[in-house]
Amino acid sequence: MEVANQNNHSSSLKRRREDDNGAATTTTTAAAVDLSLLEALEKSHSNIETLDLKTLKKLVLSFERRLRDNIEARLKYPDHPEKFADSEIELHEELQKLKLLATGPELYPELVNLNTVPSILGLLNHDNIDIAIDVVNLLQDLTDEDVLDDNDEAARVLVDCLVENNCLELLVQNLLRLNDGDVDEASAVHTTLGTIENLIEVKPGVAEIVCEKTKLMRWLLGKIKVREFDGNKQYASEILAILLQNSVANQKRLGQMNGVDVVLQAISMYKSKDPKSSEEEEMLENLFDCMCCLVMPLENKERFVKAEGVELMIIIMKQRKLAYGSAIRTLDFALTKYPPACERFVDVLGLKTAFVAFMGKILITKKHKGERYQEELEERIISVISSLFAGILRGSRRERLLSKFVENECEKIDRLMELYVRYSDRVKAETERLNQIDLDDFEMDEEEKYSRKLDSGLFTLQLIVVILGHLWTSEHPQMRARIELLLKQHKLTRNDVKDILQEYHDNIGDLDGPEEKEKAQSKIQRFISAF
């Protein structure tokens, strides 16, 4: 199959030569050329079976020779494509042979020492787009995740060399000239994105370098703006999510490029309809991942609110389509530590929609069946309500939020206490398990224990008791009476709530600075005192 593909690609090179020359070649002649080329390729593959240093040098030398021949032929006959077409096919063959290097990634440092990488990368600017595509395919093979497994050091040597020799800039420049409507070039688009992903996998810093030095982000935005779905749109959404994932610089950079608005527009296509395939569904999830990353910086939260992102998420929740849970997740990120978003949420009547979710009244679709999905919904909506209480401290909006816990005979407090008991039991079970590990002579420090408890449900339990703190300190007699009654029914006391609040208080970090830490601890201390 590989040889056949190479043959097809070489035929493509031949066709380009004919187009440039303005002459037609007979079917018989083309078939003869294809047959002889196929035989040559098969022979070359049979001659080179294993890769060692000697073979590596032989491959590199042969490649450099064909490259030189092609350069000389193009310089000598710039206006006569038929006179350099053969050298182009030979160069194509040499690039195919270089794929053998992927079978010996431990030799990558030797490849770098031979100074061949700049020569290979230079071909990304080749006038013949097929040669540039050959290089893209080669680079993807060399950096493939399966190839680089167990060869970390060698992989880093190659990737460092690629980056130092402007690989990212050249890849993106070539990406910009590819025609997504052409089958071969559309495939090269996908391969280019795959190569960039491979480079990021080996060297995470590439995610910021490629956005700083190239127009990749703008290209990706343009791709997800297209209404029609295809595989490259899906991959573009995935790469964009990867670029944003762990980089505040990239999040801010995309925000400045009107990225918040573009991603919201792409999501809005699915506000009242579901994706038609699993691939399209994956793309939609990627877009929501992008949105969640984007709204982390404060300035992008503001852009999200101005672009009516809050309203869009509420509409999606009301429609109860496939993106329901993703909309809640996005709101969770957008409302966290940003009062204007919380105020907008209340103003556009989001409370009713949020509390329907909080009460667990949403039917889970077949695609979303499963206990873990339901739990994630619960955790996210609890976090949303906690953010609303933190962001709306007074006025009519606060009253509207509090009143939700009084309506229908305090059913929301009943639900809150039900969740409290469930998450509390889960945390107690995890605490006992961790204590047992200590008894088995595998000691764990307190920080790791606390982290594991957070993962097992303590984080959500803390949010629940913080909401209880807001309700209790409102001094609403009906709310207090209901909380007291439910605590007694579950054989709990206010001291149990205080203990959770105290542990939370003692473990508040200073990630946002000492002032924010002190402010957060002061609020929790107020709840502890009230209880």
Side-chain angles (χ1 to χ4, degrees), residues 234 276-283 367:
Q234 176 196 343
K276 295 177 181 177
S277 65
S278 58
E279 291 80 12
E280 196 169 357
E281 182 182 336
E282 185 180 330
M283 181 202 68
K367 288 186 180 179

Side-chain angles (χ1 to χ4, degrees), residues 53-67:
L53 183 55
K54 183 179 177 181
T55 308
L56 169 64
K57 290 179 177 178
K58 182 179 176 183
L59 284 168
V60 166
L61 187 62
S62 181
F63 162 72
E64 294 282 5
R65 187 181 298 124
R66 297 303 184 192
L67 172 59

Side-chain angles (χ1 to χ4, degrees), residues 315-342:
I315 290 170
I316 292 171
M317 288 176 68
K318 285 180 178 177
Q319 293 291 327
R320 300 183 188 181
K321 296 291 184 182
L322 204 63
Y324 179 84
S326 299
I328 294 176
R329 179 162 61 99
T330 303
L331 284 170
D332 183 17
F333 280 93
L335 269 57
T336 299
K337 298 179 182 178
Y338 192 61
C342 299

Side-chain angles (χ1 to χ4, degrees), residues 1-11 38 41 92 96:
M1 178 62 75
E2 182 184 3
V3 172
N5 287 339
Q6 292 167 359
N7 183 39
N8 289 337
H9 204 154
S10 297
S11 299
L38 179 60
L41 287 171
H92 159 75
Q96 300 306 312

Side-chain angles (χ1 to χ4, degrees), residues 241-303:
I242 290 170
L243 293 174
L244 296 171
Q245 199 167 22
N246 297 307
S247 171
V248 175
N250 285 350
Q251 292 160 9
K252 290 182 176 182
R253 186 176 283 115
L254 195 64
Q256 292 163 359
M257 297 165 69
N258 199 34
V260 173
D261 203 52
V262 171
V263 176
L264 282 173
Q265 286 176 29
I267 288 172
S268 71
M269 296 181 198
Y270 300 92
K271 65 184 177 186
S272 56
K273 68 173 184 179
D274 282 338
K276 295 177 181 177
S277 65
S278 58
E279 291 80 12
E280 196 169 357
E281 182 182 336
E282 185 180 330
M283 181 202 68
L284 183 57
E285 276 304 303
N286 291 336
L287 292 173
F288 274 107
D289 287 344
C290 290
M291 201 70 256
C292 291
C293 293
L294 265 176
V295 295
M296 285 183 177
L298 194 64
E299 57 265 44
N300 286 346
K301 289 180 189 287
E302 183 180 353
R303 292 184 176 106

